[in-house]
């Protein structure tokens, strides 16, 4: 279940959808990412995100499939917003349900770490002084490598 969208999402609704998976679900882990006021630059006032339609969904599906091979994943949900976003707006949601908490935590963390380095998204920070395309961070690459 993947959505690339400009509209905001409701974490409660997404949680309930994961919860409805069935009585064998024993754990749900979610992550929500927000626009913050600092990144590569300080004084960030917003973001602009672009993606490669079709390819983005394919890459994310591959990450979900890989998580399912590694852990007992009953269902996974990824939402990523694109377009112009303001401070404190939600950017991304990753939710995973499983029979056991360890699998749900690991799969959720894996998907989010891999999403930061594998999916074709481009992020521009907007500040009062101008705009700046964000380069991939070495710390994100290092976290993603930990899963290899």
């Amino acid at each position: 279940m993947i959505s690339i969208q400009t509209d905001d999402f409701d974490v409660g609704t997404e949680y309930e959808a994961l919860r409805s998976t069935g009585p064998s679900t024993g754990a749900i882990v979610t992550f929500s990412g927000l626009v913050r006021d600092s990144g590569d630059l300080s004084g960030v006032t917003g973001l602009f995100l672009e993606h490669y339609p079709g390819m983005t969904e394919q890459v994310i599906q591959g990450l979900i499939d890989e998580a399912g091979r590694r852990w007992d994943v009953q269902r996974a949900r990824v939402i990523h917003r694109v377009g112009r976003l303001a401070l404190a707006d939600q950017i991304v949601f990753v939710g995973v349900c499983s029979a056991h908490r360890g699998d749900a935590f690991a799969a959720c963390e894996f998907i989010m770490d891999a999403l930061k380095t594998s999916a074709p998204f481009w992020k521009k920070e907007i500040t009062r002084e101008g705009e700046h395309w964000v380069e991939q961070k070495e710390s994100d690459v290092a976290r993603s490598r930990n899963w290899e």
Side-chain angles (χ1 to χ4, degrees):
M1 297 175 29
I2 302 161
S3 296
I4 309 300
Q5 60 194 52
T6 56
D7 294 334
D8 198 7
F9 52 87
D10 180 71
V11 172
T13 300
E14 298 304 327
Y15 176 87
E16 286 302 320
L18 290 167
R19 190 172 176 211
S20 71
T21 300
S24 64
T25 296
I28 299 171
V29 173
T30 66
F31 171 83
S32 299
L34 309 174
V35 177
R36 63 179 185 267
D37 65 357
S38 64
D40 282 1
L41 304 174
S42 59
V44 172
T45 60
L47 296 177
F48 181 78
L49 287 105
E50 293 183 350
H51 76 112
Y52 185 153
M55 180 61 73
T56 305
E57 294 86 348
Q58 182 179 349
V59 168
I60 295 171
Q61 186 61 58
L63 299 176
I64 292 170
D65 293 346
E66 179 64 21
R69 284 188 287 277
R70 293 179 180 213
W71 299 281
D72 172 27
V73 173
Q74 295 170 332
R75 183 181 294 174
R77 173 80 162 125
V78 175
I79 302 170
H80 206 298
R81 293 182 64 198
V82 293
R84 192 172 202 83
L85 300 172
L87 291 179
D89 279 354
Q90 299 180 119
I91 304 170
V92 62
F93 174 87
V94 177
V96 175
C97 60
S98 178
H100 304 284
R101 72 178 183 276
D103 288 336
F105 272 115
C108 188
E109 188 174 18
F110 165 78
I111 292 169
M112 189 61 228
D113 285 350
L115 185 65
K116 294 280 289 183
T117 57
S118 301
F121 287 102
W122 298 276
K123 179 169 66 173
K124 185 188 297 185
E125 292 178 339
I126 302 165
T127 69
R128 286 178 219 84
E129 288 78 38
E131 299 176 345
H132 162 75
W133 287 105
V134 176
E135 297 288 327
Q136 192 172 63
K137 292 178 179 41
E138 184 54 40
S139 60
D140 290 333
V141 173
R143 283 188 64 87
S144 189
R145 279 191 206 122
N146 288 334
W147 296 104
E148 294 175 358

